[in-house]
Amino acid sequence: MREHISGYRIRAKQALGRRKVSKGDVILTSEPFVYMLTTPYKGLYCDNCLKRKKEAFQRCSGCSFEWYCNVDCQRNSWSLHKSECKKLRRLKPNYPVDTARLLAKIIIKLQNGGDKIEEKWTETKTRKFKDLMNHYTDIKKDDQRQEHLSVLKVVLYDYLGPENLPNEADLQGIFGRVVINSFSINDEEHCSIATGVYLAGSVFDHSCQPNAYITFTGTKLICRSLVDWPALDWNKVRISYVDVLLSTKDRISDLYHRYYFTCGCNYCSDLKRERISSSINCGNPSCEAPVHVSETDDPSLPVGPCEKCGFHDYAPDTRTLYKEIATFSREQLDLMKQKYYFDVSKLILEKQGSMLHKLNVLRVRALDAAYESAISLELWDKTVEFGSQNLDGIRYYYGENHPTFGLMLLKLGKVTYLIGKLEKSMRFFRDAEAILQISHGTSHPVYKDQLRPLMEQAQAEIAFKRARHKQ
Ligand SMILES: [Zn+2]
Ligand SMILES: [Zn+2]
Ligand SMILES: [Zn+2]
Ligand SMILES: [Zn+2]
């Protein structure tokens, strides 16, 4: 029942709830309503606690589909899994696709009292599954999503049985809440291994320039502040729903198609940022300023002048050449959405040559692709080369304190340490530390079990080398 209180009391209550929050403080933690390890990670991570496989892993003998660290993990997941297990066994080895399994988990949970479960997000406010946004009418009108749902319905019919399928409107509502509110759950290496739906955790709105950030420890969602608040205002806490390494136009379109709103955040309305994201190097070798080139303007228009030094003597085909490079880069990068390839990334960088400014978003994306693919091939020198070249770009797009930037510095520290460049690795570790203690906190395994021991090891080795040098 709604609490009837006067306006004055509401304000007084809110004022009481406003606490001082410093950068790095935890604003909220949330336990999953449901979660699911995604299929590629089956057998590599525990289906219950989402920890990476250590030694012996045990398989559910009923369905042969779930894997657990031990009996405790199996027991903990049994309350929900017992209903799935029989159904999975019947379909073996043609297990349902991930989204269908996630929807089924929610349907089973709701049928077993899950509709009454609520999670607190402030002292006085709670959320139930039905409180999550479902964008019912938007999704109803979205052909692509309706097509997806009709395929899922067939799978669910088979998996859950017709008697367990919710009615049409309820299923639409559940589907909507899942596509709008689910989170990718990352492991300690920042690799997305699972999907989860969180009641309190999904209270945050989006900004491309977020002031808060979500990390995970196992299945628990942790939201930390990236800024200082004299008094925390829940209405102004923002996380980012999308990858910020996209041009403003692409980001706005992505957000609109996935979440049905037009982003009006500071970044999206910042024309200067948009101009920088599509810029080339100034023709004056002693000037480092970006010079904007639009891909849509008439190719015969002259480029420049540079806003900093006034240089304007560009070759007449500069605009045409830029457009060609930008189109090629975008096409190739979009083709690599699932996986980055080293050869393709290198080809894009070769094509770009020295034309694109280091803050041009296509340059930053290409270097990021080259860096990521070099890591996966264990080409450590190349990892350091491409990563170092991209630090300014990543810092610019993600922001100074963003954990993605911190994790990149940690990775570069690890790699330079691995190839024996100790002093350099310490510099990366120190920069990573400044960010990660805010974004992840000092008790997070990334900080406590990875960064700190590595720093101590590197420091000890440096000291040892220095001592030997003096002898
Ligand atoms: Zn486990
Ligand atoms: Zn089972
Ligand atoms: Zn935005
Ligand atoms: Zn210039």
Side-chain angles (χ1 to χ4, degrees):
M1 206 174 72
R2 254 187 93 113
E3 204 183 350
H4 293 280
I5 42 178
S6 70
Y8 169 75
R9 280 192 55 201
I10 291 174
R11 279 193 300 278
K13 275 198 144 184
Q14 279 173 349
L16 273 178
R18 287 196 175 185
R19 55 186 162 119
K20 182 175 180 281
V21 166
S22 306
K23 243 190 247 179
D25 284 353
V26 174
I27 304 178
L28 177 97
T29 61
S30 179
E31 296 294 341
F33 182 67
V34 295
Y35 63 97
M36 171 199 73
L37 182 71
T38 45
T39 300
Y41 300 98
K42 283 274 169 193
L44 300 172
Y45 289 79
C46 172
D47 276 285
N48 176 61
C49 67
L50 301 182
K51 291 213 174 91
R52 197 191 276 269
K53 178 178 174 179
K54 294 237 168 67
E55 300 97 34
F57 232 32
Q58 60 192 65
R59 201 174 195 168
C60 175
S61 57
C63 59
S64 317
F65 190 58
E66 307 271 283
W67 295 81
Y68 304 102
C69 303
N70 48 42
V71 189
D72 289 339
C73 277
Q74 180 156 26
R75 203 177 295 133
N76 283 339
S77 77
W78 188 241
S79 64
L80 184 65
H81 183 59
K82 67 174 180 233
S83 320
E84 294 173 314
C85 193
K86 283 180 283 202
K87 300 178 171 74
L88 287 165
R89 179 165 40 184
R90 200 168 36 79
L91 297 182
K92 186 173 148 185
N94 301 312
Y95 300 113
V97 291
D98 284 349
T99 319
R101 278 200 298 123
L102 188 66
L103 286 177
K105 277 178 192 281
I106 292 174
I107 294 167
I108 294 170
K109 185 142 185 162
L110 291 173
Q111 285 168 352
N112 290 285
D115 54 337
K116 297 188 188 65
I117 293 176
E118 48 185 28
E119 192 178 25
K120 265 191 176 182
W121 59 280
T122 68
E123 274 310 307
T124 51
K125 293 184 179 129
T126 58
R127 277 159 79 82
K128 290 182 179 167
F129 183 71
K130 71 167 174 41
D131 297 326
L132 305 185
M133 287 257 255
N134 67 13
H135 280 276
Y136 194 90
T137 34
D138 292 318
I139 288 179
K140 212 53 198 164
K141 283 188 290 192
D142 186 330
D143 290 344
Q144 234 177 337
R145 285 225 157 113
Q146 285 305 314
E147 208 175 298
H148 187 197
L149 180 58
S150 62
V151 175
L152 291 170
K153 255 191 257 177
V154 178
V155 180
L156 287 171
Y157 187 93
D158 212 30
Y159 177 35
L160 293 177
E163 69 284 5
N164 290 315
L165 269 197
N167 66 43
E168 178 65 34
D170 284 351
L171 189 60
Q172 282 278 353
I174 293 171
F175 176 67
R177 288 183 180 92
V178 168
V179 295
I180 299 297
N181 298 284
S182 48
F183 281 89
S184 261
I185 303 176
N186 294 332
D187 71 354
E188 286 159 21
E189 299 283 323
H190 211 52
C191 164
S192 160
I193 54 160
T195 307
V197 174
Y198 293 80
L199 302 181
S202 54
V203 75
F204 303 111
D205 281 335
H206 162 88
S207 167
C208 306
Q209 189 188 11
N211 53 22
Y213 183 77
I214 304 279
T215 55
F216 295 89
T217 302
T219 60
K220 188 201 263 179
L221 176 154
I222 300 161
C223 180
R224 284 175 196 279
S225 181
L226 292 169
V227 296
D228 292 325
W229 299 85
L232 178 68
D233 183 352
W234 281 98
N235 295 320
K236 290 185 181 153
V237 179
R238 297 283 182 276
I239 59 169
S240 175
Y241 296 175
V242 288
D243 189 355
V244 292
L245 219 51
L246 289 171
S247 71
T248 301
K249 196 169 119 258
D250 291 343
R251 228 170 40 233
I252 289 181
S253 144
D254 200 20
L255 284 164
Y256 186 78
H257 287 107
R258 283 164 66 186
Y259 302 102
Y260 311 102
F261 71 90
T262 305
C263 190
C265 76
N266 286 347
Y267 273 12
C268 285
S269 42
D270 186 344
L271 271 178
K272 194 175 164 219
R273 275 188 87 82
E274 179 61 359
R275 287 171 67 81
I276 288 174
S277 76
S278 169
S279 64
I280 61 172
N281 284 314
C282 176
N284 168 6
S286 59
C287 173
E288 287 185 354
V291 176
H292 172 66
V293 186
S294 160
E295 288 171 63
T296 48
D297 283 352
D298 180 349
S300 65
L301 280 171
V303 169
C306 168
E307 284 169 19
K308 195 172 172 199
C309 72
F311 182 92
H312 55 84
D313 199 13
Y314 290 93
D317 64 345
T318 302
R319 214 174 266 278
T320 315
L321 191 61
Y322 177 73
K323 194 174 172 178
E324 199 188 297
I325 290 173
T327 310
F328 177 81
S329 304
R330 191 174 296 107
E331 276 171 9
Q332 296 300 319
L333 286 163
D334 287 347
L335 283 174
M336 293 194 290
K337 271 203 172 124
Q338 302 299 328
K339 185 178 167 26
Y340 290 135
Y341 297 97
F342 188 67
D343 291 348
V344 182
S345 311
K346 254 181 49 190
L347 193 70
I348 303 170
L349 288 172
E350 271 161 31
K351 178 97 179 168
Q352 292 183 352
S354 58
M355 186 182 214
L356 271 50
H357 189 265
K358 65 181 179 186
L359 301 183
N360 184 310
V361 73
L362 293 170
R363 174 85 183 160
V364 179
R365 283 178 67 194
L367 278 169
D368 192 50
Y371 161 80
E372 291 286 352
S373 52
I375 291 175
S376 60
L377 294 176
E378 302 188 357
L379 301 170
W380 304 133
D381 287 325
K382 290 285 168 199
T383 302
V384 178
E385 181 189 328
F386 294 129
S388 304
Q389 279 182 51
N390 213 15
L391 289 175
D392 287 340
I394 295 291
R395 188 191 295 113
Y396 180 76
Y397 283 97
Y398 283 93
E400 204 85 51
N401 288 326
H402 199 282
T404 302
F405 184 46
L407 290 169
M408 180 178 180
L409 290 163
L410 170 60
K411 188 69 136 194
L412 285 170
K414 277 187 197 170
V415 173
T416 41
Y417 175 73
L418 203 70
I419 56 180
K421 295 182 176 160
L422 293 175
E423 308 272 353
K424 201 171 174 181
S425 77
M426 268 319 281
R427 283 197 294 277
F428 283 127
F429 287 143
R430 274 194 211 103
D431 290 346
E433 184 180 32
I435 300 172
L436 294 177
Q437 58 189 6
I438 293 170
S439 65
H440 284 66
T442 47
S443 58
H444 194 281
V446 163
Y447 184 85
K448 168 170 78 82
D449 304 334
Q450 291 190 39
L451 176 66
R452 282 308 308 176
L454 274 165
M455 279 180 96
E456 276 153 30
Q457 227 167 302
Q459 226 151 10
E461 279 180 46
I462 290 171
F464 178 73
K465 278 202 172 167
R466 279 192 190 142
R468 210 173 48 179
H469 198 71
K470 276 191 194 149
Q471 278 172 5

